[in-house]
Every structure is written in C-alpha cells, then in structure tokens.
Amino acid sequence: MNTYLLKITTVLLLVSSCNSYDMDPAQQQMDIDMSDFFVYTETPSDLLSKTTASKTDKRSCYTMLNLNRLLDENPGLEKRMYAIEYQTRKFMASKKPSGTPGSGPPGSNQDPTPEPSIPYDGTVYIPVVVNIIEKYNNEVSDAQITSQIDILNEDFNNANSNTAGVPDVFKNLVANYNIQFRRAAVNRIVSSKNSWGTRDAMKSSKKGGIDATDPSHNLNIWVCEIGGGILGYAQFPGGPEQTDGVVIGTDYFGETTGPYGDGRTATHEIGHWLNLRHIWGDGGCSVDDFVEDTPVSNGPNYGCPGETINCGSIDMTMNYMDYVYDDCMYMFTIDQNTRSRALFASDGYRSSFVTSN
C-alpha cells in the first residue's frame, strides 16, 4: 500500500433506504461489513514502479485516475459509491448466505444477515449508443462498430474461444454474464482536435464533443483519440449522469490491428462501468478488488505472461480486468458476475436497464 492510502476515507455513513443513494447515518444499524471499502486509488507513478514491463507492453486504462478526479470534483460521489457498495454487498451476501462478498484484509469480514434484494436473473439487454468523434468521415468504419458489439456479446456470454485455455485452477470459476448488447444508435462528428484527454470533454457538445443519450437506459461509448497512449477509461456507477459511460481510443475500438486490436479494451472498460475494480485491487497484497474468487495480487500483468505468482497465489492474468494483451484475456469470474448483477437488482443502481426491457 502506497501514498494513496492517505486519501482513503474511513466512511461511517449508513444506508437509509434501499432505493436511495444518499445516506442518513442515524437511520439504520450496520449489518454489512464495509471496513475494507475505499475509493481513492494509486497514482500512475505508484503503479508503474511495480512493473518492469516495456512501454509497448503496457495497457493504459485511466479509469481509476478518472475516479480520483471525479471524487475531488463531486463532494457527494464518495457517499453515493458507499451506498452502491453497501447494496452490492447485501446482494452478494444474499446469493452466498454462508460466505461474505469481499476478501479484503484478514479479519475484516463478518457474517451479515441482510434482507435480500429482488434479483433479476434473466438476460439483461443493454442498448449501446456509439458516439464517434473522428478526424475525417468514416475514420471509424461500420465494420468496426459491428465487430465491437459482437466481441462484447462473446465476452459477456462466455463465448470467447480462447476461454478453452483457462488453466485448470480457474476452470470452475468462469462466468456467463448473460448480457446482450444491442446497437441502438451511432452519432458521428468530424473534429480537427488531435486529442481529447481524460476530463470528459468528448462528452459535451459545448466543448466540441457529443452529449450522452439517456444514460439511464443506454450505455454510451465515446470513440475518439484520447492521447497519452491511453486506451480507454470508464465511469463507475454513481458518477455524474451526463458523463456516464466509457471512452475508447479510436485505434482500440472493435477489430483493428496490434496487441490491443481485438476489442477487449471495451470489455475491460465496461467491466468498470459494471462496478468491477482491476483484478489486483489497485493496491498491494493487503488490498482487494471486493471479489471473493479472484486471487489477491500486488499489481497488473502485461503482455501475454505465463503462470505468474504474487502475494502467495497464482495471478488470474487472463481475467478481463487485468492489463494483458487482448488475445490473452478471456474470462470473468462467477463472483465478478454476481457483483455486477447487483446493479440490476430491484434496488440496484442500473435497475432501469431491466425495467425498460
């Protein structure tokens, strides 16, 4: 654990209502252990100090740094994320009555006895609005868009052919998310801007970008040149509605070329949009990703590594939430699926996607 721990807040607020993401600390008795929950995460220099990977091997996802910025700019965001995490752990505990939903620091978990959420176990259909900001007409082809939707449907329905190569130690953990992505609309504009950065300018028509389309019922994907070697970034549940969605670099959207040309940047970023942290928990061996069946690790893996051991266990390098090449990531776990599924429960943050089906 590094200097980012100085920014981790000990949150003592309690959830006041199943359907509210604003909490009143005097309303309810705590029945879910939240002692390991944190929001602020490491800086890029902290992360890069843990690896000797070459520059060309390094996947660059800016989601956690984007989260840090949003937390600084939105005083109520930490409170909302705490409430979403509370609902998530309550849901996971109801699915696993004999266990607990996190695997944080030893001794941090209790045996909760929560009232379960009403789950939605059917297929979740997610309309996708693709917002393309390109340097010339059709820089991003229709074939790229089609391939990206197809790749998402493969990955979130356990249809990635590479999954056949899952090591035996993880074979019984592979999940089918049962999510179907549908292309709802494609919005295009041409812009001479060379790069858009990571402060959400591409999400605002006032800043030359494209406004989000009804984020409570659509997944908005912005495709543009981000700059700085960044492949993409996402917004976690709870952030500002007008910027909800994911951003993907033009060269990494759908089937293109190179080690990040198989469309898995979108899979990774949508994992964040579905409330997944990075597989290593964005910290050291004592920090977790709030998912029980993913091994603890102390940092990302790059390239196409073989068996890698950190923190006394084998890393799940092939997980979509690691940093390996596109061709070498090919699974979500059962508990990752359950964590994301909490969003679509009756009291979940993204329940509107179910009620609108």
Side-chain angles (χ1 to χ4, degrees):
M1 298 172 72
N2 296 294
T3 56
Y4 82 104
L5 288 177
L6 296 175
K7 301 190 85 175
I8 295 178
T9 305
T10 303
V11 184
L12 297 177
L13 299 170
L14 306 179
V15 178
S16 62
S17 168
C18 285
N19 297 313
S20 173
Y21 295 98
D22 292 315
M23 298 170 293
D24 181 347
Q27 290 290 322
Q28 289 191 357
Q29 178 181 357
M30 176 67 74
D31 59 359
I32 297 291
D33 179 23
M34 298 286 290
S35 62
D36 65 332
F37 181 62
F38 63 94
V39 284
Y40 284 97
T41 53
E42 295 181 299
T43 65
S45 59
D46 293 329
L47 184 59
L48 294 178
S49 68
K50 294 180 178 179
T51 179
T52 58
S54 67
K55 185 176 181 180
T56 56
D57 280 343
K58 292 175 182 174
R59 177 182 294 272
S60 182
C61 160
Y62 210 81
T63 294
M64 303 312 292
L65 278 298
N66 182 58
L67 173 59
N68 289 352
R69 174 183 66 83
L70 290 175
L71 287 162
D72 288 339
E73 295 175 357
N74 298 272
L77 178 54
E78 183 173 0
K79 187 178 179 181
R80 290 194 299 274
M81 290 187 71
Y82 180 93
I84 292 167
E85 184 67 20
Y86 181 97
Q87 180 268 338
T88 297
R89 295 186 183 202
K90 184 175 69 171
F91 178 88
M92 294 183 78
S94 73
K95 289 287 190 179
K96 288 189 172 184
S98 61
T100 50
S103 55
S108 66
N109 290 319
Q110 300 171 350
D111 291 324
T113 55
E115 291 296 323
S117 307
I118 299 174
Y120 179 75
D121 293 325
T123 303
V124 177
Y125 296 95
I126 297 183
V128 179
V129 176
V130 183
N131 303 301
I132 300 172
I133 307 173
E134 50 196 355
K135 295 178 182 177
Y136 53 87
N137 287 323
N138 295 315
E139 179 186 13
V140 178
S141 69
D142 191 71
Q144 273 181 267
I145 300 170
T146 298
S147 68
Q148 184 63 82
I149 298 298
D150 289 345
I151 290 162
L152 292 176
N153 284 324
E154 288 176 5
D155 294 349
F156 284 89
N157 291 276
N158 191 24
N160 184 334
S161 60
N162 289 341
T163 309
V166 164
D168 289 343
V169 67
F170 300 132
K171 277 190 181 297
N172 65 339
L173 300 178
V174 179
N176 180 348
Y177 260 62
N178 196 15
I179 290 177
Q180 287 290 327
F181 296 87
R182 296 171 168 175
R183 180 161 71 170
V186 177
N187 303 314
R188 293 178 183 267
I189 62 172
V190 173
S191 172
S192 60
K193 194 168 183 175
N194 289 325
S195 62
W196 288 85
T198 57
R199 300 185 68 85
D200 293 337
M202 73 289 292
K203 302 177 182 180
S204 170
S205 59
K206 293 180 179 179
K207 297 179 181 179
I210 301 174
D211 294 331
T213 300
D214 188 13
S216 62
H217 297 96
N218 296 283
L219 164 60
N220 280 262
I221 300 178
W222 286 268
V223 183
C224 62
E225 179 58 46
I226 302 170
I230 297 169
L231 277 65
Y233 71 95
Q235 182 171 294
F236 279 101
E241 182 178 19
Q242 67 271 20
T243 54
D244 190 38
V246 306
V247 182
I248 308 296
T250 303
D251 293 338
Y252 315 113
F253 180 74
E255 288 285 357
T256 56
T257 59
Y260 305 116
D262 291 328
R264 261 79 212 198
T265 294
T267 302
H268 177 101
E269 301 303 342
I270 291 169
H272 288 311
W273 185 78
L274 291 170
N275 208 23
L276 297 184
R277 300 290 180 106
H278 287 129
I279 194 74
W280 66 94
D282 297 283
C285 294
S286 60
V287 179
D288 193 52
D289 62 349
F290 311 138
V291 175
E292 189 173 356
D293 62 2
T294 58
V296 175
S297 189
N298 64 349
N301 290 281
Y302 297 93
C304 283
E307 183 175 296
T308 304
I309 297 177
N310 285 294
C311 306
S313 60
I314 300 172
D315 282 359
M316 192 181 283
T317 62
M318 68 295 306
N319 195 282
Y320 290 116
M321 302 314 294
D322 208 333
Y323 270 8
V324 297
Y325 286 161
D326 280 15
D327 199 43
C328 296
M329 52 170 59
Y330 43 79
M331 71 172 286
F332 290 114
T333 70
I334 293 169
D335 285 348
Q336 282 178 316
N337 177 37
T338 304
R339 178 174 176 81
S340 295
R341 204 74 181 185
L343 295 169
F344 304 108
S346 58
D347 56 353
Y349 186 79
R350 301 201 187 280
S351 61
S352 57
F353 282 85
V354 173
T355 57
S356 63
N357 284 345

